[in-house]
Amino acid sequence: MSATGRLAIALTGATMLAGVPYAALAQDEAEAQAQAQAAPETAQPAPEPTPAPAPASNTIRTISVTGAERLEPSTILSYIRLRAGQDYSAAAADQALSDLYATELFANASIRNENGNVIITVVENPVINRIVLEGNDRLDAEKILPEIRLAPRQIFTRSKVRADVARIVELYKRQGRFAATVEPQMVQLPQNRVDVVFEITEGPKSKVRQINIIGNEQFSDGELRSEMVTKQSRFFRFFSSNTSYDPDRLAFDQQKLRQFYLTEGYADFRVVSAVAELTPDQRDFIITYVVEEGERYSFGDVEVESQLRDFDSDALQAGLAMKTGDFYNAASVEDTVEQLTELAGRFGYAFADVQPRFNRNPEDLTMDITFILRQAPRVYIERVDVNGNTLTQDKVIRREFRLSEGDAFNSLGVARTTARINSLGYFQENFEVNQVEGSAPDRIVLEANVEEQPTGELQFSAGFSSIERFILAGSIRQRNFRGRGQTIGLSLNYSQFSRSAQISFTEPYLFDRNISAGADIYRRDFNSFNFNRNDRQTTFEQATTGGSVRVGVPLTEFMSLVASYTLNYDEVSLDEDLFFSDIDGDGDIECDPLRAGRFLCDALGNRLSSIAGLSLQYNSLNSLLRPTRGRRVTLSTEFAGLGGDVQYLRLRGRGQQFWNVFNSGFIFSLSLEGGTIIPLEERGGGGVDDILLTDRFFLGEPQFRGFDIRGVGPRILTQPYVLDAFNNNQLDEDGNPILITERNRIRDDSLGGRNYYLGRAELEIPLGTGARELGLRPSIFLDVGALWGVEQPILQDNPTGLPQTDTNGNPLFISTDTGELTTDPIASDGVTPNTRLIRTNSAIREVFLGDSPSPRITAGIGVNWNSPFGPFRIDFAQTIRKVEGDDDKTFTFNVGTQF
């Protein structure tokens, strides 16, 4: 059958893509020769070398090569030792064939001697045109191809194919797919070229079906399994990657078992054997551990022997956590060694050597331990090296070092330096300062080997509100501007509710001194609105234009003092067509409290605010971007009254604490903040609060998840009455005016408050390896807060609305007979009224709600995802407790990117 025929059959076959199956490469010599005669263009498997028949003449006169296509005959002859003039023998011919096959360039070779004329016939191995992978759904080609030996334009050889098959299978075993098989195929092409196709059957991921433990008497199987990283495959562990079989993890689990028993006092514990067996269906593994627990030991004599002159052995011994009679605990021993080493490092002994000496007493099952602090020189900093920074200037990194050249070594200073550099957020996570021996035993070199990360942030966020619809925001910020450690940013926000723009700049080291400075310039527009028959109507607009400057100085390593000055110009206006009227009848229109409400009329006007602020900050977080431990506390005060039009004192406080729970990867955080505003001037009373609407606290999204923007706290809901075509009241069955209850037709005006508090508890949950590689970080949270403390405004309840008037202020009536307008409500006969008063649509009732310190509570889940298009955050929050009038909100998300 020709190659073309085989190709056609292969294309329609069930087990071949195209071409010759790899099994054909193992045919014997007779089959290979027959195929070569039938289809000489097809590359054949190499047969075993066959000696040439004994020649009539033993002297080689000439040597020629036939069958060569790509290789020159002279090149082929260079691979063998036969030369003209030599004696020809079967052994020499065998050696020549072995040399040719050793090059892996030939699929077939033979030698014959015709009366001294030696003829070498070769069939060259084909050249690989391309490598094709099929069926690799779980393992990308980008991960497989670099691991195999075959590549395009290389010579095809069977040994490389076998090696590559084994390598691909090994890659799948590392992923826990032990049932994976690879079938190589070869597709013949013109000019002695081939495509090599690896048909991969991945099979299911091999899980751990059962973990058996034999020999444990003191602890149950469940207790011991909980100490292992490998877990039994169960339906509730569908997110876990630890249920798959991994030989490396099996060895690690043996160490985990030993550590567990050593912390419980079983010093003689050992794992006798650990066997992993495939189940009969070849899909899963059953792991069996055979253990020998041994006896339980207690601490005997615990002593400290110090060879360092600055440490008293008795004093150190008295401070040890372990005592004679306690059960032996290997973890306590390791912690004690670490603590003693750390203590020596604080006094300048960078290379302090603490060695525990054990003395086991099998008779009374006690373990005597002596901690020996060996003699070591006090160490000084020889130099500080900074490497790897291509953008960031050296001084930005060096100024974070708490130790300088010539200083005595101090391990606390090194740890603090590491934390400060990590907090910059410019470099790789888990950066550490390396300690390298210097030119002398008492010298040390500190190395900061950094890997710069993107510090630019381009962020886009979006949210959805039942009132505002979509909310869009974007910002761009560079936290390491020009490599100087400066921060510069621009942010824009837009929604039907608010618009804002801000430019900010921060210099952390002004004039290379430990003084921070910054400035902000901003414009913020805020609109409040209501709906009239689904038509959106703006109630009031607030525009704030201003700027601020700030200067900070450190007081201690963790505490700083920041002073600021802010100047704001506020413009508050109302829609004159809706809320203004000629109240005095003098032709001048002004804000009408019956239309707008007293609280809105009170907020109108332009005013200047001059505010001086002072804040005390404490910060011991290990990272400003993604802290896992530490504390941050801020106490601030603002005084408005250095000129300007308003006077008040604002006090605020905020605290945060982070814990890495049992070093398990669970990050738990608590935060609490609160504030109050004290007025320093009186503004008239009678429903008028002494703090202007624009200066009060507001609470809601994004600080309080589960509530809308300004969705918590005091507010006035303005409900319209249902009117007929003549703007007269529609009545219910009892004769009472009917109120509109549709929320989108009720005006909702947040008043803010003088006092607020907000508490947040959040637990970040670590996921398996696969989820961590995707950058997923889910969390659960609970938020508690409240906003209150405002003077209740004078409220309106006007069921009939206001009468419509002519240009002279006279009420208008409409004739029920002719439909004409008139100012005379009396009929022509003076008896029967034939007119109706025309009223405006300002028939409303105002309700004051939400002014309560009662806690509002929400809970929910959120997910951070470092997606390919940037960091992504999504939150789902459920309101557990709220006060009447609060606006809740279930779903928010935002997305951004880094550069």
Side-chain angles (χ1 to χ4, degrees):
M1 182 179 292
S2 65
T4 303
R6 287 196 298 270
L7 181 60
I9 294 173
L11 286 173
T12 59
T15 60
M16 294 172 55
L17 171 68
V20 183
Y22 181 67
L25 299 176
Q27 293 175 349
D28 59 19
E29 178 184 2
E31 292 174 338
Q33 291 176 349
Q35 289 181 359
Q37 293 173 359
E41 73 278 9
T42 305
Q44 302 298 331
E48 295 295 327
T50 303
S57 173
N58 288 334
T59 302
I60 301 174
R61 292 185 295 177
T62 62
I63 303 176
S64 60
V65 177
T66 62
E69 297 180 2
R70 296 183 307 273
L71 298 175
E72 294 293 334
S74 59
T75 302
I76 297 175
L77 291 176
S78 68
Y79 297 144
I80 64 175
R81 303 174 189 178
L82 292 178
R83 297 291 183 268
Q86 294 179 350
D87 291 336
Y88 179 86
S89 64
D94 288 342
Q95 182 61 49
L97 290 175
S98 296
D99 292 340
L100 289 176
Y101 284 125
T103 64
E104 295 189 336
L105 298 175
F106 307 102
N108 196 5
S110 63
I111 299 177
R112 68 180 185 274
N113 182 12
E114 297 180 354
N115 296 322
N117 297 317
V118 177
I119 301 172
I120 302 174
T121 303
V122 297
V123 177
E124 294 180 359
N125 273 329
V127 174
I128 297 173
N129 178 59
R130 61 174 180 158
I131 305 294
V132 179
L133 302 175
E134 291 187 343
N136 55 313
D137 298 328
R138 301 292 182 177
L139 201 58
D140 295 337
E142 291 76 9
K143 294 182 179 180
I144 297 177
L145 292 177
E147 298 291 334
I148 63 178
R149 297 175 60 190
L150 292 177
R153 295 184 296 278
Q154 287 187 357
I155 302 298
F156 173 87
T157 66
R158 290 177 297 165
S159 61
K160 289 182 180 179
V161 172
R162 285 192 295 267
D164 288 346
V165 168
R167 182 59 178 161
I168 295 173
V169 171
E170 179 63 26
L171 291 176
Y172 275 97
K173 285 183 178 180
R174 290 185 180 181
Q175 283 203 337
R177 299 183 183 276
F178 285 80
T181 60
V182 179
E183 182 68 24
Q185 307 286 344
M186 187 171 66
V187 181
Q188 289 295 143
L189 300 173
Q191 301 177 351
N192 199 22
R193 296 176 300 122
V194 294
D195 285 345
V196 178
V197 181
F198 292 101
E199 293 184 352
I200 302 172
T201 303
E202 295 178 319
K205 203 164 188 177
S206 300
K207 300 289 186 179
V208 176
R209 185 177 299 180
Q210 185 71 32
I211 299 177
N212 300 320
I213 305 174
I214 301 173
N216 54 311
E217 298 178 357
Q218 303 300 325
F219 301 98
S220 67
D221 288 5
E223 289 178 285
L224 297 182
R225 291 192 195 108
S226 67
E227 297 296 323
M228 301 178 187
V229 176
T230 303
K231 303 298 181 184
Q232 296 179 130
S233 178
R234 298 293 183 266
F235 74 92
F236 53 85
R237 294 196 178 112
F238 57 90
F239 274 134
S240 176
S241 62
N242 293 333
T243 57
S244 60
Y245 173 71
D246 185 342
D248 295 334
R249 196 183 296 140
L250 182 67
F252 182 70
D253 284 339
Q254 295 180 57
Q255 287 296 110
K256 293 284 288 182
L257 284 175
R258 177 166 175 78
Q259 291 175 6
F260 171 73
Y261 270 95
L262 288 177
T263 58
E264 297 294 332
Y266 294 89
D268 295 328
F269 171 83
R270 68 189 185 97
V271 178
V272 178
S273 66
V275 179
E277 297 176 310
L278 274 171
T279 56
D281 57 8
Q282 301 295 304
R283 296 175 61 90
D284 297 328
F285 278 87
I286 296 176
I287 300 175
T288 302
Y289 293 95
V290 178
V291 301
E292 186 177 294
E293 293 179 326
E295 299 292 340
R296 192 175 193 182
Y297 282 74
S298 300
F299 284 115
D301 296 331
V302 181
E303 300 176 347
V304 177
E305 180 183 316
S306 175
Q307 299 175 3
L308 300 177
R309 58 185 178 87
D310 294 320
F311 295 95
D312 179 70
S313 298
D314 294 335
L316 293 176
Q317 180 176 330
L320 295 181
M322 60 189 69
K323 304 297 181 184
T324 300
D326 294 344
F327 284 117
Y328 173 75
N329 189 325
S332 297
V333 175
E334 293 177 1
D335 292 343
T336 301
V337 170
E338 184 176 345
Q339 292 168 4
L340 292 175
T341 304
E342 178 70 21
L343 181 61
R346 295 181 187 180
F347 286 85
Y349 297 98
F351 305 113
D353 183 19
V354 180
Q355 293 290 338
R357 185 173 62 201
F358 299 91
N359 183 27
R360 185 176 305 183
N361 304 308
E363 298 82 9
D364 57 0
L365 299 178
T366 60
M367 183 80 72
D368 299 335
I369 301 179
T370 302
F371 295 95
I372 303 174
L373 278 72
R374 301 191 183 280
Q375 182 64 46
R378 178 166 289 178
V379 178
Y380 297 86
I381 308 299
E382 181 174 349
R383 67 178 188 275
V384 174
D385 293 339
V386 177
N387 306 311
N389 53 314
T390 56
L391 172 66
T392 308
Q393 297 182 5
D394 267 21
K395 67 177 183 179
V396 174
I397 303 173
R398 290 182 178 275
R399 66 195 183 195
E400 302 300 329
F401 271 80
R402 302 297 94 182
L403 297 170
S404 303
E405 286 87 348
D407 288 351
F409 176 84
N410 187 307
S411 58
L412 287 180
V414 175
R416 181 57 183 161
T417 298
T418 299
R420 289 180 65 93
I421 295 178
N422 272 321
S423 294
L424 293 175
Y426 305 160
F427 311 112
Q428 73 273 23
E429 292 186 16
N430 302 321
F431 161 84
E432 288 189 3
V433 175
N434 296 328
Q435 304 170 28
V436 181
E437 293 184 5
S439 58
D442 62 345
R443 295 291 183 266
I444 191 172
V445 176
L446 300 182
E447 288 186 351
N449 298 316
V450 300
E451 298 175 11
E452 291 184 319
Q453 302 292 315
T455 54
E457 298 175 2
L458 178 62
Q459 187 167 4
F460 171 79
S461 61
F464 184 81
S465 167
S466 59
I467 296 178
E468 295 184 77
R469 304 298 183 255
F470 282 101
I471 306 165
L472 304 175
S475 65
I476 183 171
R477 186 173 67 144
Q478 174 55 256
R479 293 181 287 105
N480 189 14
F481 184 58
R482 298 187 301 166
R484 297 173 177 264
Q486 301 165 338
T487 299
I488 186 170
L490 169 67
S491 64
L492 300 171
N493 297 272
Y494 175 82
S495 73
Q496 293 181 341
F497 188 78
S498 62
R499 295 169 297 278
S500 68
Q502 178 170 328
I503 299 175
S504 60
F505 176 79
T506 301
E507 169 57 74
Y509 280 77
L510 187 63
F511 307 123
D512 290 331
R513 296 181 178 273
N514 198 5
I515 300 174
S516 63
D520 302 291
I521 300 175
Y522 46 83
R523 166 77 180 206
R524 304 187 184 108
D525 293 342
F526 169 78
N527 295 341
S528 182
F529 55 87
N530 65 0
F531 289 89
N532 183 16
R533 292 183 173 87
N534 290 324
D535 294 329
R536 181 181 184 275
Q537 296 179 337
T538 299
T539 54
F540 76 90
E541 299 179 356
Q542 174 188 343
T544 302
T545 304
S548 66
V549 294
R550 57 191 177 277
V551 177
V553 294
L555 301 179
T556 67
E557 178 62 25
F558 300 100
M559 190 176 296
S560 60
L561 189 66
V562 179
S564 63
Y565 177 75
T566 303
L567 188 66
N568 288 334
Y569 183 71
D570 293 305
E571 301 170 86
V572 181
S573 60
L574 289 173
D575 190 331
E576 295 184 358
D577 293 334
L578 291 176
F579 304 110
F580 279 52
S581 64
D582 183 6
I583 299 177
D584 301 328
D586 57 2
D588 296 329
I589 61 173
E590 58 184 300
C591 182
D592 190 339
L594 295 178
R595 295 177 180 225
R598 180 72 178 271
F599 70 97
L600 284 182
C601 292
D602 176 65
L604 285 182
N606 302 335
R607 60 187 62 89
L608 187 69
S609 301
S610 177
I611 308 168
L614 191 66
S615 64
L616 183 65
Q617 301 176 358
Y618 175 87
N619 187 351
S620 63
L621 299 179
N622 64 333
S623 173
L624 295 180
L625 297 179
R626 193 179 297 169
T628 59
R629 64 178 182 275
R631 178 182 305 154
R632 176 164 52 190
V633 179
T634 302
L635 301 175
S636 63
T637 179
E638 294 178 347
F639 170 70
L642 298 176
D645 303 318
V646 295
Q647 295 181 13
Y648 62 81
L649 182 66
R650 187 195 306 264
L651 303 174
R652 303 180 76 170
R654 182 179 185 183
Q656 291 178 287
Q657 179 75 47
F658 294 83
W659 295 270
N660 189 339
V661 183
F662 305 121
N663 292 320
S664 59
F666 288 86
I667 307 302
F668 180 68
S669 62
L670 282 177
S671 67
L672 179 64
E673 62 177 287
T676 185
I677 305 177
I678 303 172
L680 302 179
E681 61 178 343
E682 294 185 0
R683 301 182 57 246
V688 178
D689 198 273
D690 292 332
I691 298 296
L692 289 171
L693 176 71
T694 54
D695 296 326
R696 299 169 194 161
F697 292 118
F698 290 89
L699 193 59
E701 187 194 350
Q703 311 102 313
F704 204 157
R705 291 164 292 192
F707 288 99
D708 209 341
I709 297 175
R710 301 191 175 192
V712 176
R715 59 207 329 100
I716 288 182
L717 299 183
T718 305
Q719 293 180 267
Y721 283 92
V722 180
L723 304 177
D724 60 17
F726 296 100
N727 287 330
N728 290 310
N729 294 107
Q730 292 187 12
L731 306 178
D732 60 17
E733 296 177 353
D734 298 328
N736 299 316
I738 301 175
L739 281 167
I740 291 175
T741 58
E742 299 175 28
R743 189 59 186 264
N744 65 346
R745 296 183 61 186
I746 298 175
R747 194 174 82 203
D748 185 343
D749 294 303
S750 177
L751 303 183
R754 294 190 192 180
N755 313 292
Y756 87 100
Y757 64 85
L758 177 63
R760 305 175 66 171
E762 187 161 4
L763 179 65
E764 184 176 305
I765 303 171
L767 297 180
T769 304
R772 284 201 305 269
E773 290 177 354
L774 292 175
L776 291 174
R777 294 184 294 114
S779 63
I780 57 176
F781 59 83
L782 177 72
D783 293 355
V784 180
L787 175 72
W788 77 99
V790 67
E791 183 78 17
Q792 179 174 331
I794 297 175
L795 303 176
Q796 301 182 62
D797 188 0
N798 184 18
T800 59
L802 301 175
Q804 188 170 323
T805 61
D806 61 9
T807 56
N808 296 322
N810 299 314
L812 285 174
F813 297 83
I814 185 171
S815 171
T816 57
D817 297 329
T818 65
E820 296 180 354
L821 297 179
T822 178
T823 57
D824 184 7
I826 305 301
S828 58
D829 59 6
V831 179
T832 305
N834 60 351
T835 59
R836 297 178 63 182
L837 179 67
I838 301 177
R839 300 183 182 276
T840 66
N841 60 355
S842 59
I844 58 172
R845 184 182 73 169
E846 292 180 338
V847 182
F848 180 64
L849 300 171
D851 188 21
S852 169
S854 177
R856 284 74 157 174
I857 305 174
T858 63
I861 60 174
V863 178
N864 281 304
W865 176 33
N866 293 331
S867 68
F869 46 88
F872 182 91
R873 172 77 188 189
I874 184 171
D875 287 303
F876 290 92
Q878 178 64 44
T879 303
I880 299 175
R881 189 177 190 277
K882 66 177 183 178
V883 172
E884 184 182 2
D886 292 340
D887 293 330
D888 52 4
K889 181 178 181 180
T890 301
F891 168 77
T892 57
F893 73 93
N894 63 74
V895 63
T897 189
Q898 292 186 330
F899 61 92

